[in-house]
mmCIF file of all heavy atoms in Angstrom:
data_model
loop_
_atom_site.group_PDB
_atom_site.id
_atom_site.type_symbol
_atom_site.label_atom_id
_atom_site.label_comp_id
_atom_site.label_asym_id
_atom_site.label_seq_id
_atom_site.Cartn_x
_atom_site.Cartn_y
_atom_site.Cartn_z
ATOM 1 N N GLY A 500 -22.408 2.235 -13.189
ATOM 2 C CA GLY A 500 -21.250 3.108 -12.809
ATOM 3 C C GLY A 500 -20.964 4.167 -13.833
ATOM 4 O O GLY A 500 -20.774 5.393 -13.508
ATOM 5 N N LEU A 501 -21.103 3.774 -15.145
ATOM 6 C CA LEU A 501 -20.939 4.785 -16.179
ATOM 7 C C LEU A 501 -22.071 5.832 -16.135
ATOM 8 O O LEU A 501 -21.722 7.064 -16.284
ATOM 9 C CB LEU A 501 -21.005 4.076 -17.566
ATOM 10 C CG LEU A 501 -19.733 3.427 -18.043
ATOM 11 C CD1 LEU A 501 -19.890 2.542 -19.214
ATOM 12 C CD2 LEU A 501 -18.600 4.480 -18.313
ATOM 13 N N ILE A 502 -23.216 5.458 -15.991
ATOM 14 C CA ILE A 502 -24.369 6.384 -15.884
ATOM 15 C C ILE A 502 -24.122 7.374 -14.800
ATOM 16 O O ILE A 502 -24.281 8.631 -14.856
ATOM 17 C CB ILE A 502 -25.732 5.630 -15.771
ATOM 18 C CG1 ILE A 502 -26.012 4.817 -16.942
ATOM 19 C CG2 ILE A 502 -26.834 6.629 -15.462
ATOM 20 C CD1 ILE A 502 -27.178 3.939 -16.976
ATOM 21 N N LEU A 503 -23.820 6.869 -13.600
ATOM 22 C CA LEU A 503 -23.588 7.786 -12.420
ATOM 23 C C LEU A 503 -22.414 8.672 -12.719
ATOM 24 O O LEU A 503 -22.371 9.837 -12.340
ATOM 25 C CB LEU A 503 -23.236 6.857 -11.171
ATOM 26 C CG LEU A 503 -24.477 6.152 -10.588
ATOM 27 C CD1 LEU A 503 -24.002 5.343 -9.326
ATOM 28 C CD2 LEU A 503 -25.569 7.082 -10.223
ATOM 29 N N GLY A 504 -21.367 8.158 -13.405
ATOM 30 C CA GLY A 504 -20.213 8.823 -13.727
ATOM 31 C C GLY A 504 -20.546 10.105 -14.561
ATOM 32 O O GLY A 504 -20.070 11.240 -14.271
ATOM 33 N N PHE A 505 -21.269 9.928 -15.568
ATOM 34 C CA PHE A 505 -21.643 11.034 -16.485
ATOM 35 C C PHE A 505 -22.573 11.972 -15.688
ATOM 36 O O PHE A 505 -22.402 13.245 -15.970
ATOM 37 C CB PHE A 505 -22.366 10.468 -17.723
ATOM 38 C CG PHE A 505 -21.360 9.903 -18.738
ATOM 39 C CD1 PHE A 505 -21.418 8.476 -19.057
ATOM 40 C CD2 PHE A 505 -20.345 10.691 -19.323
ATOM 41 C CE1 PHE A 505 -20.489 7.996 -19.984
ATOM 42 C CE2 PHE A 505 -19.431 10.128 -20.221
ATOM 43 C CZ PHE A 505 -19.544 8.812 -20.430
ATOM 44 N N ILE A 506 -23.426 11.561 -14.854
ATOM 45 C CA ILE A 506 -24.179 12.519 -14.101
ATOM 46 C C ILE A 506 -23.325 13.329 -13.244
ATOM 47 O O ILE A 506 -23.588 14.476 -13.077
ATOM 48 C CB ILE A 506 -25.276 11.701 -13.291
ATOM 49 C CG1 ILE A 506 -26.276 11.042 -14.272
ATOM 50 C CG2 ILE A 506 -26.077 12.693 -12.393
ATOM 51 C CD1 ILE A 506 -27.350 10.268 -13.589
ATOM 52 N N ALA A 507 -22.371 12.672 -12.554
ATOM 53 C CA ALA A 507 -21.349 13.286 -11.649
ATOM 54 C C ALA A 507 -20.674 14.355 -12.431
ATOM 55 O O ALA A 507 -20.375 15.485 -11.839
ATOM 56 C CB ALA A 507 -20.407 12.266 -11.151
ATOM 57 N N ILE A 508 -20.399 14.144 -13.643
ATOM 58 C CA ILE A 508 -19.598 15.132 -14.499
ATOM 59 C C ILE A 508 -20.423 16.403 -14.521
ATOM 60 O O ILE A 508 -19.926 17.570 -14.307
ATOM 61 C CB ILE A 508 -19.360 14.671 -15.829
ATOM 62 C CG1 ILE A 508 -18.318 13.530 -15.772
ATOM 63 C CG2 ILE A 508 -18.676 15.740 -16.708
ATOM 64 C CD1 ILE A 508 -18.219 12.652 -16.980
ATOM 65 N N ILE A 509 -21.666 16.284 -14.807
ATOM 66 C CA ILE A 509 -22.610 17.489 -14.898
ATOM 67 C C ILE A 509 -22.618 18.213 -13.629
ATOM 68 O O ILE A 509 -22.424 19.441 -13.672
ATOM 69 C CB ILE A 509 -23.964 17.013 -15.272
ATOM 70 C CG1 ILE A 509 -23.920 16.365 -16.776
ATOM 71 C CG2 ILE A 509 -24.982 18.235 -15.328
ATOM 72 C CD1 ILE A 509 -25.274 15.819 -17.137
ATOM 73 N N PHE A 510 -22.782 17.583 -12.508
ATOM 74 C CA PHE A 510 -23.002 18.317 -11.216
ATOM 75 C C PHE A 510 -21.639 18.834 -10.741
ATOM 76 O O PHE A 510 -21.580 19.899 -10.140
ATOM 77 C CB PHE A 510 -23.647 17.318 -10.174
ATOM 78 C CG PHE A 510 -25.048 17.016 -10.355
ATOM 79 C CD1 PHE A 510 -25.575 15.801 -10.757
ATOM 80 C CD2 PHE A 510 -25.973 18.055 -10.105
ATOM 81 C CE1 PHE A 510 -26.865 15.679 -10.924
ATOM 82 C CE2 PHE A 510 -27.207 17.920 -10.280
ATOM 83 C CZ PHE A 510 -27.741 16.660 -10.621
ATOM 84 N N THR A 511 -20.570 18.095 -11.120
ATOM 85 C CA THR A 511 -19.212 18.576 -10.665
ATOM 86 C C THR A 511 -18.861 19.920 -11.417
ATOM 87 O O THR A 511 -18.283 20.805 -10.852
ATOM 88 C CB THR A 511 -18.136 17.605 -10.961
ATOM 89 O OG1 THR A 511 -18.504 16.426 -10.175
ATOM 90 C CG2 THR A 511 -16.722 18.106 -10.526
ATOM 91 N N MET A 512 -19.212 20.000 -12.693
ATOM 92 C CA MET A 512 -18.858 21.180 -13.460
ATOM 93 C C MET A 512 -19.791 22.313 -13.189
ATOM 94 O O MET A 512 -19.484 23.508 -13.561
ATOM 95 C CB MET A 512 -18.889 20.733 -14.952
ATOM 96 C CG MET A 512 -17.732 19.815 -15.402
ATOM 97 S SD MET A 512 -17.782 19.445 -17.139
ATOM 98 C CE MET A 512 -16.429 18.295 -17.203
ATOM 99 N N TYR A 513 -20.969 22.149 -12.684
ATOM 100 C CA TYR A 513 -21.928 23.160 -12.531
ATOM 101 C C TYR A 513 -21.461 24.086 -11.443
ATOM 102 O O TYR A 513 -20.986 23.774 -10.404
ATOM 103 C CB TYR A 513 -23.257 22.523 -12.059
ATOM 104 C CG TYR A 513 -24.280 23.756 -11.644
ATOM 105 C CD1 TYR A 513 -24.932 24.292 -12.654
ATOM 106 C CD2 TYR A 513 -24.466 24.052 -10.294
ATOM 107 C CE1 TYR A 513 -25.862 25.350 -12.306
ATOM 108 C CE2 TYR A 513 -25.335 24.930 -10.000
ATOM 109 C CZ TYR A 513 -26.033 25.640 -11.011
ATOM 110 O OH TYR A 513 -26.876 26.709 -10.611
ATOM 111 N N ARG A 514 -21.501 25.445 -11.828
ATOM 112 C CA ARG A 514 -21.192 26.396 -10.884
ATOM 113 C C ARG A 514 -21.913 27.719 -11.276
ATOM 114 O O ARG A 514 -21.758 28.302 -12.250
ATOM 115 C CB ARG A 514 -19.701 26.718 -10.791
ATOM 116 C CG ARG A 514 -19.305 27.628 -9.640
ATOM 117 C CD ARG A 514 -17.743 27.730 -9.551
ATOM 118 N NE ARG A 514 -17.509 28.286 -8.316
ATOM 119 C CZ ARG A 514 -16.175 28.407 -7.826
ATOM 120 N NH1 ARG A 514 -15.212 27.874 -8.555
ATOM 121 N NH2 ARG A 514 -15.895 29.042 -6.745
ATOM 122 N N LYS A 515 -22.707 28.215 -10.380
ATOM 123 C CA LYS A 515 -23.390 29.430 -10.447
ATOM 124 C C LYS A 515 -22.636 30.585 -9.946
ATOM 125 O O LYS A 515 -22.453 30.684 -8.705
ATOM 126 C CB LYS A 515 -24.811 29.464 -9.927
ATOM 127 C CG LYS A 515 -25.653 30.728 -10.231
ATOM 128 C CD LYS A 515 -26.954 30.582 -9.660
ATOM 129 C CE LYS A 515 -27.752 31.907 -9.937
ATOM 130 N NZ LYS A 515 -29.212 31.789 -9.377
ATOM 131 N N SER A 516 -21.977 31.385 -10.682
ATOM 132 C CA SER A 516 -21.017 32.428 -10.266
ATOM 133 C C SER A 516 -21.093 33.644 -11.152
ATOM 134 O O SER A 516 -21.170 33.600 -12.335
ATOM 135 C CB SER A 516 -19.623 31.823 -10.155
ATOM 136 O OG SER A 516 -18.733 32.881 -9.844
ATOM 137 N N GLY A 517 -21.009 34.823 -10.550
ATOM 138 C CA GLY A 517 -21.006 36.043 -11.240
ATOM 139 C C GLY A 517 -19.647 36.568 -11.559
ATOM 140 O O GLY A 517 -19.382 37.631 -12.017
ATOM 141 N N ASN A 518 -18.629 35.833 -11.160
ATOM 142 C CA ASN A 518 -17.185 36.114 -11.289
ATOM 143 C C ASN A 518 -16.774 35.892 -12.745
ATOM 144 O O ASN A 518 -16.795 34.804 -13.286
ATOM 145 C CB ASN A 518 -16.253 35.292 -10.446
ATOM 146 C CG ASN A 518 -14.835 35.769 -10.526
ATOM 147 O OD1 ASN A 518 -14.469 36.582 -11.306
ATOM 148 N ND2 ASN A 518 -14.020 35.135 -9.705
ATOM 149 N N PRO A 519 -16.594 36.967 -13.547
ATOM 150 C CA PRO A 519 -16.260 36.798 -14.995
ATOM 151 C C PRO A 519 -14.953 35.995 -15.244
ATOM 152 O O PRO A 519 -14.999 35.310 -16.235
ATOM 153 C CB PRO A 519 -15.936 38.319 -15.499
ATOM 154 C CG PRO A 519 -16.581 39.100 -14.454
ATOM 155 C CD PRO A 519 -16.526 38.412 -13.087
ATOM 156 N N SER A 520 -14.059 36.010 -14.305
ATOM 157 C CA SER A 520 -12.821 35.136 -14.481
ATOM 158 C C SER A 520 -13.007 33.693 -14.419
ATOM 159 O O SER A 520 -12.197 32.889 -14.888
ATOM 160 C CB SER A 520 -11.766 35.609 -13.513
ATOM 161 O OG SER A 520 -12.151 35.191 -12.287
ATOM 162 N N SER A 521 -14.213 33.307 -13.833
ATOM 163 C CA SER A 521 -14.444 31.850 -13.682
ATOM 164 C C SER A 521 -15.659 31.399 -14.373
ATOM 165 O O SER A 521 -16.023 30.212 -14.291
ATOM 166 C CB SER A 521 -14.487 31.561 -12.171
ATOM 167 O OG SER A 521 -15.644 32.167 -11.666
#
Side-chain angles (χ1 to χ4, degrees):
L501 280 172
I502 293 172
L503 289 181
F505 284 116
I506 296 174
I508 293 166
I509 296 173
F510 285 111
T511 300
M512 293 182 182
Y513 173 79
R514 188 171 191 176
K515 185 178 180 180
S516 175
N518 186 354
S520 65
S521 62

